[in-house]
Amino acid sequence: MGKCSIAFFILTFVYMVGAFSARDLSLPTPVNGLSWTFYNTSCPSLESIVRKRIDFYLNQDITQAAGLLRLHFHDCFVQGCDGSVLLSGTSSERVAAPNLSLRKMAFTIINNIKARVEAACSGIVSCADILALAARDSVNKAGGPFYRLPLGRRDSLGFANKSTVNDSIPAPTFNVTGLMSVFSRKNLTLRDLVALSGGHTIGRANCSSFDNRLHNSTTGENEEDPTLDQTFANHLFLTCPTNTSVNTTNLDIRSPNVFDNKYYVNLLNRQTLFTSDQTLYSDSRTRDFVIGFAGNQTSFFEQFVLSMLKMGQLSVLTRSQGEIRKHCEVPNPTSSVFSIFNPQVSSSSYST
């Protein structure tokens, strides 16, 4: 065997080992009511339908992967993975400040998938499960790991109020202490924090999300965050010349549309947008995780899978709780939309 053939064999073997370990981890036991085989009999075509629609949309625009992943995050972090973020209305979660920048197309894609699933298996599959599957398949389509998902979530009957949304979604200006004040309430660890933050390897951000690193909040004058790489900062000032700029830019300057570990490489080089990103490298509590993921993409993928599975089972509704919505944006005709914190809601309707 020639040297080139040997090298090719070694690279192929390394790739296969990485792919295998990211896909075939020892996965945690699903929470009560969820199952690895939940729809095997009732809707066996579910995962195929979701995958084909994700392929359809992302083949046209791969940037939608970030929007779908973020939508899943924002659903799970507020009152659990119950599809409540998908409900529309003048007082819904969607109009709370942290959710105003969620991609409209992400909602459209979920609604389209739901219609396809309803045509195949009417009244069987929840919007919450479809959102979890769409996020998983979007990550994989963008180059990230594929992993099994426990299913069986049911949809909420209502949504959280604005103050709860504001309190539950970590802000891009947070440091590690602020981030963990949110994550620890979800029983998510520092390792989970760093791994889930790796979702910022795809997507874009508005200038307003990182303006605190460029301009004085009171005077609007240029005031550069000293933790920014100078060349990177110069680029950001071109994109966001004033504190009222409304432009957007990629979260990952190295491979903006590929789900990989370059986000962590960016952290090492002080080339990330948010305070909440750079703090993961600046803070000694999380720095080693960042360094480890930057040097080993397989390690990042494995932990991302575990952390996603953990997050994706937060306060899920199962069995007789909630409902299976026919349309993701509205409750079923026999239901009525109300705040999850309405005192008339029975505590038996929601998991704790």
Side-chain angles (χ1 to χ4, degrees), residues 213 225 227-228 263 266-283:
R213 305 186 74 195
D225 183 338
T227 64
L228 279 168
Y263 164 80
N266 296 335
L267 288 177
L268 266 58
N269 287 279
R270 299 183 294 121
Q271 296 171 332
T272 54
L273 297 183
F274 304 149
T275 299
S276 60
D277 289 327
Q278 196 58 52
T279 189
L280 300 180
Y281 183 61
S282 303
D283 196 299

PDB file of all heavy atoms in Angstrom, residues 213 225 227-228 263 266-283:
ATOM      1  N   ARG A 213     -20.159  45.822  23.437  1.00  0.00           N
ATOM      2  CA  ARG A 213     -18.719  45.593  23.286  1.00  0.00           C
ATOM      3  C   ARG A 213     -18.076  46.599  22.332  1.00  0.00           C
ATOM      4  O   ARG A 213     -16.860  46.558  22.124  1.00  0.00           O
ATOM      5  CB  ARG A 213     -18.465  44.175  22.792  1.00  0.00           C
ATOM      6  CG  ARG A 213     -19.093  43.092  23.667  1.00  0.00           C
ATOM      7  CD  ARG A 213     -18.700  41.713  23.217  1.00  0.00           C
ATOM      8  NE  ARG A 213     -17.326  41.402  23.566  1.00  0.00           N
ATOM      9  CZ  ARG A 213     -16.634  40.385  23.044  1.00  0.00           C
ATOM     10  NH1 ARG A 213     -17.194  39.613  22.128  1.00  0.00           N
ATOM     11  NH2 ARG A 213     -15.391  40.157  23.426  1.00  0.00           N
ATOM     12  N   ASP A 225     -14.468  46.803  23.725  1.00  0.00           N
ATOM     13  CA  ASP A 225     -14.204  45.797  24.747  1.00  0.00           C
ATOM     14  C   ASP A 225     -12.756  45.311  24.581  1.00  0.00           C
ATOM     15  O   ASP A 225     -12.383  44.828  23.508  1.00  0.00           O
ATOM     16  CB  ASP A 225     -15.184  44.633  24.561  1.00  0.00           C
ATOM     17  CG  ASP A 225     -15.045  43.558  25.631  1.00  0.00           C
ATOM     18  OD1 ASP A 225     -13.980  43.458  26.264  1.00  0.00           O
ATOM     19  OD2 ASP A 225     -16.007  42.792  25.815  1.00  0.00           O
ATOM     20  N   THR A 227     -11.336  42.741  25.455  1.00  0.00           N
ATOM     21  CA  THR A 227     -11.174  41.308  25.193  1.00  0.00           C
ATOM     22  C   THR A 227     -11.371  40.968  23.718  1.00  0.00           C
ATOM     23  O   THR A 227     -11.174  39.824  23.318  1.00  0.00           O
ATOM     24  CB  THR A 227     -12.162  40.473  26.030  1.00  0.00           C
ATOM     25  OG1 THR A 227     -13.502  40.780  25.636  1.00  0.00           O
ATOM     26  CG2 THR A 227     -11.983  40.733  27.511  1.00  0.00           C
ATOM     27  N   LEU A 228     -11.738  41.952  22.895  1.00  0.00           N
ATOM     28  CA  LEU A 228     -11.905  41.709  21.458  1.00  0.00           C
ATOM     29  C   LEU A 228     -10.562  41.737  20.744  1.00  0.00           C
ATOM     30  O   LEU A 228      -9.729  42.619  20.989  1.00  0.00           O
ATOM     31  CB  LEU A 228     -12.805  42.778  20.836  1.00  0.00           C
ATOM     32  CG  LEU A 228     -14.322  42.620  20.974  1.00  0.00           C
ATOM     33  CD1 LEU A 228     -15.014  43.910  20.549  1.00  0.00           C
ATOM     34  CD2 LEU A 228     -14.818  41.450  20.140  1.00  0.00           C
ATOM     35  N   TYR A 263     -16.426  27.532  16.556  1.00  0.00           N
ATOM     36  CA  TYR A 263     -16.877  28.507  17.561  1.00  0.00           C
ATOM     37  C   TYR A 263     -15.881  28.586  18.705  1.00  0.00           C
ATOM     38  O   TYR A 263     -15.539  29.680  19.183  1.00  0.00           O
ATOM     39  CB  TYR A 263     -18.258  28.081  18.074  1.00  0.00           C
ATOM     40  CG  TYR A 263     -18.699  28.739  19.362  1.00  0.00           C
ATOM     41  CD1 TYR A 263     -19.227  30.025  19.381  1.00  0.00           C
ATOM     42  CD2 TYR A 263     -18.609  28.043  20.574  1.00  0.00           C
ATOM     43  CE1 TYR A 263     -19.649  30.609  20.576  1.00  0.00           C
ATOM     44  CE2 TYR A 263     -19.037  28.629  21.761  1.00  0.00           C
ATOM     45  CZ  TYR A 263     -19.547  29.904  21.765  1.00  0.00           C
ATOM     46  OH  TYR A 263     -19.967  30.482  22.936  1.00  0.00           O
ATOM     47  N   ASN A 266     -12.748  30.283  17.686  1.00  0.00           N
ATOM     48  CA  ASN A 266     -12.983  31.728  17.721  1.00  0.00           C
ATOM     49  C   ASN A 266     -12.820  32.283  19.136  1.00  0.00           C
ATOM     50  O   ASN A 266     -12.263  33.372  19.332  1.00  0.00           O
ATOM     51  CB  ASN A 266     -14.388  32.049  17.210  1.00  0.00           C
ATOM     52  CG  ASN A 266     -14.591  31.675  15.761  1.00  0.00           C
ATOM     53  OD1 ASN A 266     -13.652  31.604  14.986  1.00  0.00           O
ATOM     54  ND2 ASN A 266     -15.839  31.425  15.386  1.00  0.00           N
ATOM     55  N   LEU A 267     -13.312  31.534  20.134  1.00  0.00           N
ATOM     56  CA  LEU A 267     -13.168  31.974  21.521  1.00  0.00           C
ATOM     57  C   LEU A 267     -11.701  32.114  21.903  1.00  0.00           C
ATOM     58  O   LEU A 267     -11.303  33.084  22.554  1.00  0.00           O
ATOM     59  CB  LEU A 267     -13.860  30.987  22.461  1.00  0.00           C
ATOM     60  CG  LEU A 267     -15.397  30.964  22.471  1.00  0.00           C
ATOM     61  CD1 LEU A 267     -15.897  29.876  23.413  1.00  0.00           C
ATOM     62  CD2 LEU A 267     -15.948  32.304  22.894  1.00  0.00           C
ATOM     63  N   LEU A 268     -10.900  31.120  21.510  1.00  0.00           N
ATOM     64  CA  LEU A 268      -9.473  31.162  21.825  1.00  0.00           C
ATOM     65  C   LEU A 268      -8.795  32.367  21.191  1.00  0.00           C
ATOM     66  O   LEU A 268      -7.823  32.910  21.724  1.00  0.00           O
ATOM     67  CB  LEU A 268      -8.787  29.877  21.348  1.00  0.00           C
ATOM     68  CG  LEU A 268      -8.648  28.737  22.371  1.00  0.00           C
ATOM     69  CD1 LEU A 268     -10.017  28.310  22.911  1.00  0.00           C
ATOM     70  CD2 LEU A 268      -7.951  27.534  21.732  1.00  0.00           C
ATOM     71  N   ASN A 269      -9.330  32.793  20.039  1.00  0.00           N
ATOM     72  CA  ASN A 269      -8.739  33.913  19.301  1.00  0.00           C
ATOM     73  C   ASN A 269      -9.432  35.246  19.577  1.00  0.00           C
ATOM     74  O   ASN A 269      -9.154  36.232  18.909  1.00  0.00           O
ATOM     75  CB  ASN A 269      -8.764  33.614  17.802  1.00  0.00           C
ATOM     76  CG  ASN A 269      -7.753  32.567  17.395  1.00  0.00           C
ATOM     77  OD1 ASN A 269      -6.565  32.867  17.216  1.00  0.00           O
ATOM     78  ND2 ASN A 269      -8.197  31.324  17.262  1.00  0.00           N
ATOM     79  N   ARG A 270     -10.343  35.258  20.569  1.00  0.00           N
ATOM     80  CA  ARG A 270     -11.078  36.454  20.976  1.00  0.00           C
ATOM     81  C   ARG A 270     -11.853  37.063  19.800  1.00  0.00           C
ATOM     82  O   ARG A 270     -11.893  38.266  19.602  1.00  0.00           O
ATOM     83  CB  ARG A 270     -10.119  37.483  21.583  1.00  0.00           C
ATOM     84  CG  ARG A 270      -9.405  36.966  22.821  1.00  0.00           C
ATOM     85  CD  ARG A 270      -8.507  37.988  23.474  1.00  0.00           C
ATOM     86  NE  ARG A 270      -7.380  38.343  22.632  1.00  0.00           N
ATOM     87  CZ  ARG A 270      -7.119  39.560  22.198  1.00  0.00           C
ATOM     88  NH1 ARG A 270      -7.926  40.563  22.542  1.00  0.00           N
ATOM     89  NH2 ARG A 270      -6.073  39.811  21.439  1.00  0.00           N
ATOM     90  N   GLN A 271     -12.488  36.177  19.024  1.00  0.00           N
ATOM     91  CA  GLN A 271     -13.202  36.607  17.817  1.00  0.00           C
ATOM     92  C   GLN A 271     -14.664  36.138  17.839  1.00  0.00           C
ATOM     93  O   GLN A 271     -15.163  35.540  16.887  1.00  0.00           O
ATOM     94  CB  GLN A 271     -12.487  36.067  16.578  1.00  0.00           C
ATOM     95  CG  GLN A 271     -11.086  36.640  16.406  1.00  0.00           C
ATOM     96  CD  GLN A 271     -10.305  35.945  15.307  1.00  0.00           C
ATOM     97  OE1 GLN A 271     -10.517  34.770  15.003  1.00  0.00           O
ATOM     98  NE2 GLN A 271      -9.381  36.673  14.692  1.00  0.00           N
ATOM     99  N   THR A 272     -15.339  36.405  18.939  1.00  0.00           N
ATOM    100  CA  THR A 272     -16.762  36.083  19.054  1.00  0.00           C
ATOM    101  C   THR A 272     -17.551  37.348  19.355  1.00  0.00           C
ATOM    102  O   THR A 272     -17.000  38.324  19.861  1.00  0.00           O
ATOM    103  CB  THR A 272     -17.025  35.043  20.154  1.00  0.00           C
ATOM    104  OG1 THR A 272     -16.440  35.513  21.379  1.00  0.00           O
ATOM    105  CG2 THR A 272     -16.429  33.701  19.798  1.00  0.00           C
ATOM    106  N   LEU A 273     -18.851  37.304  19.073  1.00  0.00           N
ATOM    107  CA  LEU A 273     -19.662  38.510  19.151  1.00  0.00           C
ATOM    108  C   LEU A 273     -20.122  38.872  20.555  1.00  0.00           C
ATOM    109  O   LEU A 273     -20.017  40.013  20.976  1.00  0.00           O
ATOM    110  CB  LEU A 273     -20.898  38.359  18.248  1.00  0.00           C
ATOM    111  CG  LEU A 273     -20.654  38.200  16.748  1.00  0.00           C
ATOM    112  CD1 LEU A 273     -21.990  38.149  16.005  1.00  0.00           C
ATOM    113  CD2 LEU A 273     -19.797  39.332  16.217  1.00  0.00           C
ATOM    114  N   PHE A 274     -20.664  37.904  21.263  1.00  0.00           N
ATOM    115  CA  PHE A 274     -21.358  38.196  22.515  1.00  0.00           C
ATOM    116  C   PHE A 274     -20.433  38.155  23.728  1.00  0.00           C
ATOM    117  O   PHE A 274     -19.505  37.350  23.786  1.00  0.00           O
ATOM    118  CB  PHE A 274     -22.487  37.200  22.757  1.00  0.00           C
ATOM    119  CG  PHE A 274     -23.504  37.104  21.653  1.00  0.00           C
ATOM    120  CD1 PHE A 274     -24.151  35.908  21.396  1.00  0.00           C
ATOM    121  CD2 PHE A 274     -23.817  38.206  20.870  1.00  0.00           C
ATOM    122  CE1 PHE A 274     -25.092  35.805  20.390  1.00  0.00           C
ATOM    123  CE2 PHE A 274     -24.754  38.119  19.857  1.00  0.00           C
ATOM    124  CZ  PHE A 274     -25.394  36.914  19.619  1.00  0.00           C
ATOM    125  N   THR A 275     -20.753  38.971  24.710  1.00  0.00           N
ATOM    126  CA  THR A 275     -20.103  38.861  26.008  1.00  0.00           C
ATOM    127  C   THR A 275     -20.303  37.455  26.563  1.00  0.00           C
ATOM    128  O   THR A 275     -19.393  36.851  27.142  1.00  0.00           O
ATOM    129  CB  THR A 275     -20.695  39.880  26.998  1.00  0.00           C
ATOM    130  OG1 THR A 275     -20.470  41.196  26.501  1.00  0.00           O
ATOM    131  CG2 THR A 275     -20.079  39.735  28.381  1.00  0.00           C
ATOM    132  N   SER A 276     -21.509  36.910  26.383  1.00  0.00           N
ATOM    133  CA  SER A 276     -21.843  35.577  26.899  1.00  0.00           C
ATOM    134  C   SER A 276     -21.046  34.478  26.222  1.00  0.00           C
ATOM    135  O   SER A 276     -20.934  33.371  26.758  1.00  0.00           O
ATOM    136  CB  SER A 276     -23.344  35.306  26.726  1.00  0.00           C
ATOM    137  OG  SER A 276     -23.713  35.361  25.362  1.00  0.00           O
ATOM    138  N   ASP A 277     -20.479  34.761  25.049  1.00  0.00           N
ATOM    139  CA  ASP A 277     -19.589  33.809  24.395  1.00  0.00           C
ATOM    140  C   ASP A 277     -18.174  33.923  24.959  1.00  0.00           C
ATOM    141  O   ASP A 277     -17.613  32.968  25.481  1.00  0.00           O
ATOM    142  CB  ASP A 277     -19.537  34.064  22.880  1.00  0.00           C
ATOM    143  CG  ASP A 277     -20.818  33.673  22.171  1.00  0.00           C
ATOM    144  OD1 ASP A 277     -21.470  32.705  22.607  1.00  0.00           O
ATOM    145  OD2 ASP A 277     -21.178  34.349  21.194  1.00  0.00           O
ATOM    146  N   GLN A 278     -17.598  35.128  24.869  1.00  0.00           N
ATOM    147  CA  GLN A 278     -16.203  35.309  25.249  1.00  0.00           C
ATOM    148  C   GLN A 278     -15.953  35.014  26.715  1.00  0.00           C
ATOM    149  O   GLN A 278     -14.865  34.568  27.104  1.00  0.00           O
ATOM    150  CB  GLN A 278     -15.741  36.731  24.914  1.00  0.00           C
ATOM    151  CG  GLN A 278     -14.225  36.894  24.905  1.00  0.00           C
ATOM    152  CD  GLN A 278     -13.557  35.947  23.898  1.00  0.00           C
ATOM    153  OE1 GLN A 278     -13.923  35.911  22.733  1.00  0.00           O
ATOM    154  NE2 GLN A 278     -12.586  35.170  24.352  1.00  0.00           N
ATOM    155  N   THR A 279     -16.971  35.214  27.558  1.00  0.00           N
ATOM    156  CA  THR A 279     -16.820  34.941  28.983  1.00  0.00           C
ATOM    157  C   THR A 279     -16.530  33.466  29.262  1.00  0.00           C
ATOM    158  O   THR A 279     -15.921  33.132  30.277  1.00  0.00           O
ATOM    159  CB  THR A 279     -18.086  35.381  29.766  1.00  0.00           C
ATOM    160  OG1 THR A 279     -17.844  35.295  31.157  1.00  0.00           O
ATOM    161  CG2 THR A 279     -19.287  34.488  29.430  1.00  0.00           C
ATOM    162  N   LEU A 280     -16.924  32.585  28.344  1.00  0.00           N
ATOM    163  CA  LEU A 280     -16.674  31.155  28.542  1.00  0.00           C
ATOM    164  C   LEU A 280     -15.178  30.844  28.509  1.00  0.00           C
ATOM    165  O   LEU A 280     -14.721  29.895  29.148  1.00  0.00           O
ATOM    166  CB  LEU A 280     -17.394  30.336  27.467  1.00  0.00           C
ATOM    167  CG  LEU A 280     -18.913  30.477  27.408  1.00  0.00           C
ATOM    168  CD1 LEU A 280     -19.479  29.604  26.286  1.00  0.00           C
ATOM    169  CD2 LEU A 280     -19.550  30.107  28.747  1.00  0.00           C
ATOM    170  N   TYR A 281     -14.423  31.646  27.771  1.00  0.00           N
ATOM    171  CA  TYR A 281     -12.967  31.465  27.739  1.00  0.00           C
ATOM    172  C   TYR A 281     -12.283  32.309  28.803  1.00  0.00           C
ATOM    173  O   TYR A 281     -11.272  31.906  29.378  1.00  0.00           O
ATOM    174  CB  TYR A 281     -12.419  31.832  26.361  1.00  0.00           C
ATOM    175  CG  TYR A 281     -10.930  31.597  26.235  1.00  0.00           C
ATOM    176  CD1 TYR A 281     -10.383  30.321  26.394  1.00  0.00           C
ATOM    177  CD2 TYR A 281     -10.053  32.649  25.969  1.00  0.00           C
ATOM    178  CE1 TYR A 281      -9.012  30.101  26.289  1.00  0.00           C
ATOM    179  CE2 TYR A 281      -8.695  32.443  25.862  1.00  0.00           C
ATOM    180  CZ  TYR A 281      -8.174  31.167  26.031  1.00  0.00           C
ATOM    181  OH  TYR A 281      -6.819  30.951  25.932  1.00  0.00           O
ATOM    182  N   SER A 282     -12.858  33.466  29.103  1.00  0.00           N
ATOM    183  CA  SER A 282     -12.256  34.358  30.099  1.00  0.00           C
ATOM    184  C   SER A 282     -12.374  33.793  31.510  1.00  0.00           C
ATOM    185  O   SER A 282     -11.493  34.013  32.347  1.00  0.00           O
ATOM    186  CB  SER A 282     -12.928  35.735  30.050  1.00  0.00           C
ATOM    187  OG  SER A 282     -12.849  36.309  28.767  1.00  0.00           O
ATOM    188  N   ASP A 283     -13.446  33.079  31.778  1.00  0.00           N
ATOM    189  CA  ASP A 283     -13.722  32.575  33.127  1.00  0.00           C
ATOM    190  C   ASP A 283     -13.031  31.224  33.345  1.00  0.00           C
ATOM    191  O   ASP A 283     -13.192  30.299  32.540  1.00  0.00           O
ATOM    192  CB  ASP A 283     -15.239  32.428  33.317  1.00  0.00           C
ATOM    193  CG  ASP A 283     -15.635  32.281  34.782  1.00  0.00           C
ATOM    194  OD1 ASP A 283     -15.186  31.307  35.420  1.00  0.00           O
ATOM    195  OD2 ASP A 283     -16.407  33.128  35.277  1.00  0.00           O
TER     196      ASP A 283
END
